[in-house]
Amino acid sequence: MDEQDDCTGVPGLHDLLALARRLLTASTVRAALEVTGAALARLNADEAMIVLRQRGATQNLRFNGAARAAPAELSSALYQLALHALMHTHGSPSRVGKGRGHPDCHGTVLQRTGGSTLLVAFPSAACEGVLLLNWYSRQQVACLEQTRELLLQIAQLAGACLAGLNTKQGREDRLSARVATLREAGRHHAAEMRRSVAQMAEARDLASQDVMTGLLNRRGFFAQAEHCFMLARQQALTCAVVFADVDGLKMVNDELGHERGDELIRYGGVVFQSAFQDADVVARLGGDEFAAFVFDDAAPAAIHARLRVRVTDFNRSGRFPHALSLSVGVVSCDTFSSASLADYLQMADAEMYQQKHRHVRCAR
């Protein structure tokens, strides 16, 4: 087939300026490739192709004369030709074609019986890629040379744009990686803080808990009861302080052993706690002594009655070979007085001892 000798319609300088402006507005690699493909379509080729290699992955776009983009067929001869050019241009010191001047200013012209093909590589310093134009008929050498020069200019512009986008993407990737690292560090720190808070809370609980009975210990009692006492004073709530002692512990220790004595203390704690509500503060102060700070049903007579019922029910259950007995002192708090919680606890302790003496006299 004879070479075509019509070179009309080949874009000029104003088209390159328009391409440069459009590339400046491209915010993604895909957008830049589509803008470049539209410029290739104006070079009067029957089809055009861009093959680009980034981050170890190869992508390609094929454009027809109407500049519509579609992925190239990987088995097509043109794609294999472009891929071969890409590998030899950017994969080794050898170059496609033998251009003059700067090593990137070159191109390869293939004249076949059935057509012509023109290949130009992106500047190697910008990015790794190849531009390809194909005609189904042989083109005039002068027209191909003129088109080659334009294609080189397009490769320079598109390469610069893609290099800038890659640099920007690299910065964004590094920033994203840094943000992800900081977020992970933040999550790790938050998890460590939660564990630390939980451990401190657990330590506080252990420091405030009586190991034998599971009730509050003396430290825990005063920490919580002081807060409740202050609340009762602020809101003029009815409240009372209870002091109790397990009777006959020495006899149980002497006759049944200290293990049984400890068991009696545990049962005494269970029975004592059962007479109060969840909002009340119940503790084992030490030895066989128990205390409670009570809201609402704080009348001394009512508290004594509840405790007597709980003790009677326990002894009827037969869970312990020795009868449980509690000496109890209950003092109502005057929230308008200057007496402290420790003062009321001391008053309840004194009342408890009076009852214990009565128990001893009755036992005789």
Side-chain angles (χ1 to χ4, degrees):
M1 183 179 293
D2 295 335
E3 295 182 4
Q4 291 187 358
D5 56 1
D6 184 9
C7 294
T8 59
V10 176
L13 180 60
H14 66 283
D15 296 289
L16 293 175
L17 292 175
L19 171 61
R21 286 193 294 269
R22 287 194 292 272
L23 286 172
L24 285 174
T25 64
S27 58
T28 64
V29 171
R30 174 73 183 205
L33 293 180
E34 291 180 350
V35 168
T36 304
L40 297 182
R42 293 180 58 81
L43 296 179
N44 297 328
D46 294 309
E47 57 184 332
M49 187 180 298
I50 303 175
V51 179
L52 186 66
R53 183 168 59 196
Q54 292 180 305
R55 299 181 180 88
T58 302
Q59 55 181 310
N60 65 82
L61 285 177
R62 175 181 175 274
F63 302 87
N64 59 20
R68 285 192 292 270
E73 296 182 5
L74 302 185
S75 60
S76 70
L78 283 179
Y79 175 74
Q80 293 300 320
L81 178 62
L83 188 61
H84 177 77
L86 172 66
M87 297 301 294
H88 281 75
T89 302
H90 296 286
S92 72
S94 62
R95 298 291 180 181
V96 176
K98 300 296 182 181
R100 296 173 296 175
H102 192 279
D104 284 329
C105 297
H106 57 77
T108 295
V109 177
L110 301 176
Q111 291 281 35
R112 305 183 310 280
T113 302
S116 301
T117 302
L118 178 59
L119 290 136
V120 166
F122 287 112
S124 59
C127 60
E128 299 182 13
V130 172
L131 302 178
L132 180 147
L133 296 178
N134 187 57
W135 291 266
Y136 300 147
S137 59
R138 288 175 63 90
Q139 301 295 300
Q140 190 178 20
V141 173
C143 292
L144 286 174
E145 180 62 23
Q146 184 179 356
T147 304
R148 186 185 72 87
E149 294 296 332
L150 285 169
L151 193 58
L152 288 170
Q153 295 296 325
I154 292 174
Q156 291 280 351
L157 292 173
C161 175
L162 292 170
L165 290 174
N166 286 333
T167 300
K168 176 185 175 184
Q169 185 62 50
R171 287 197 300 266
E172 291 176 352
D173 290 346
R174 289 191 295 273
L175 179 60
S176 297
R178 179 59 178 163
V179 170
T181 300
L182 291 174
R183 286 177 176 170
E184 181 61 27
R187 285 192 290 268
H188 179 73
H189 179 68
E192 288 294 327
M193 288 295 294
R194 286 193 293 271
R195 281 193 291 271
S196 178
V197 170
Q199 289 170 355
M200 287 190 293
E202 183 179 3
R204 285 196 301 269
D205 291 342
L206 291 175
S208 302
Q209 189 178 52
D210 176 58
V211 177
M212 180 180 292
T213 63
L215 300 175
L216 293 173
N217 58 21
R218 177 179 292 272
R219 175 182 178 180
F221 174 77
F222 277 99
Q224 292 193 24
E226 288 282 9
H227 176 75
C228 293
F229 187 46
M230 180 179 65
L231 182 66
R233 278 183 162 170
Q234 290 174 348
Q235 302 184 19
L237 301 176
T238 301
C239 58
V241 172
V242 184
F243 197 102
D245 183 273
V246 178
D247 297 328
L249 178 63
K250 184 178 184 306
M251 184 175 61
V252 172
N253 285 334
D254 293 342
E255 296 179 0
L256 303 178
H258 285 276
E259 289 187 4
R260 282 295 194 176
D262 290 345
E263 188 177 357
L264 179 62
I265 291 174
R266 284 193 289 270
Y267 278 130
V270 171
V271 172
F272 183 72
Q273 184 182 30
S274 68
F276 304 106
Q277 301 178 13
D278 292 339
D280 299 331
V281 182
V282 182
R284 178 191 175 213
L285 300 184
D288 57 354
E289 296 177 338
F290 298 90
F293 183 88
V294 187
F295 284 110
D296 298 331
D297 297 334
I303 294 173
H304 279 290
R306 288 204 305 272
L307 281 169
R308 282 195 297 271
V309 170
R310 300 298 192 279
V311 169
T312 300
D313 291 343
F314 173 79
N315 288 330
R316 286 175 178 172
S317 69
R319 284 184 287 174
F320 193 74
H322 188 281
L324 173 68
S325 176
L326 294 177
S327 296
V328 181
V330 184
V331 177
S332 296
C333 300
D334 181 0
T335 56
F336 294 99
S337 74
S338 60
S340 66
L341 176 66
D343 293 334
Y344 284 113
L345 188 64
Q346 188 174 5
M347 296 177 198
D349 183 18
E351 184 178 312
M352 180 275 297
Y353 269 105
Q354 291 178 7
Q355 187 183 83
K356 181 175 287 288
H357 290 319
R358 287 195 294 271
H359 288 171
V360 171
R361 288 196 297 271
C362 290
R364 293 174 180 173

